[in-house]
Amino acid sequence: MAQQSTKRPLKIIAGADSFGCNLKDVLVSQLRALNIQVEDLGTDKYYSVGEEIGRRVSQAADDLAVGTRGLVACGTGVGVAIFANKFPGVYAATCLNPDEARNARSINNCNVLAVSGMNTTPEVASDVLKTFLETPFKSPCPASGSNPWPDEIDQFLENSANEMNKIGTPKPVESSSDCHLCSLVKSREFNAVDIMPGGSISIVRESPTSAFVRFTAGSVEPAHHHTFGHDLVVLKGSKRVWNLSKGEKYDLGIGDYLFTPAGDVHRVKYFEDTEFFIKWEGQWDLFLDEDHAAANAAIDKEKEN
């Protein structure tokens, strides 16, 4: 019944922090009992869970084959919602009872349900989830007196869906206002990096060397190191860098800078189509410390933890 409320097959991406994990597990079991596809990301810090699920729901917004929503849980349900909402097209709402879920779906087209592991019983949360799944956008809800919306409100809600989708998306800029690096990269030819599927490079100069590098969304650079330290600046997209030598992790977006010392072993995951400018001393070299299968397994294992 729940999946009949949407024209596309439904997929739920779920995650929680340590205060919400037990409630999340109950709701994941409920979803699977309804034969709804669930990707359970497990337990992490509340802001990391909110970020990861918000990013994935945002990226899946244009998928015409599957309707993707999120389920997040923390102690209050507020923290995970805050960080999920940092991505365009994500409308996360903390719902403590079914009426709040019905309002959030009807008025706000909520696509990420946030629940409170400390303040909501499993029985109430089950009803909240059921309401979230079965309530269409613009349907009668407590805010409408449980009656159909008047024509003028119905039209407002219809228009608001398109306008809300634009919030958070980059606005077009005039070419004259582009940064100098972005202007330089536009007309350059890129050559595939065979050792790194999904990657391509355009060398600007050699010894000392500088280059523009591109990676497609979902690409992974297995753990590797260089005989040189290198500086990079992200021009487009987003990526995560694990410095395995130092045991540190960096999430980089547009404008972010990172220096990696010579010999430091590092692994990289690209969340979006990404471009960056990189420079280093000497000739370009690269030494793999693992293969792609090992890299993907390590990244998946971190998600489970």
Side-chain angles (χ1 to χ4, degrees), residues 14-85:
D17 74 356
S18 58
F19 292 97
C21 60
N22 289 338
L23 185 60
K24 181 268 296 178
D25 290 343
V26 169
L27 298 181
V28 165
S29 296
Q30 179 180 345
L31 289 166
R32 287 176 172 156
L34 294 170
N35 294 319
I36 292 175
Q37 181 185 358
V38 181
E39 182 177 359
D40 187 354
L41 303 186
T43 306
D44 202 345
K45 299 177 288 291
Y46 75 89
Y47 46 86
S48 298
V49 168
E51 176 202 13
E52 184 67 16
I53 291 180
R55 186 194 310 279
R56 292 190 183 209
V57 171
S58 179
Q59 290 175 340
D62 294 329
D63 188 343
L64 300 179
V66 177
T68 299
R69 298 188 200 173
L71 170 65
V72 289
C74 65
T76 63
V78 174
V80 280
I82 288 172
F83 287 92
N85 275 325

Side-chain angles (χ1 to χ4, degrees), residues 114-135:
V115 293
S116 167
M118 297 174 64
N119 300 311
T120 307
T121 66
E123 293 76 18
V124 172
S126 176
D127 289 339
V128 170
L129 177 61
K130 183 174 184 290
T131 303
F132 171 74
L133 294 172
E134 296 181 350
T135 303

Side-chain angles (χ1 to χ4, degrees), residues 258-276:
L258 180 66
F259 172 72
T260 302
D264 276 17
V265 178
H266 52 289
R267 179 190 300 127
V268 186
K269 170 67 180 289
Y270 294 89
F271 299 111
E272 307 167 72
D273 290 346
T274 301
E275 296 179 359
F276 56 92

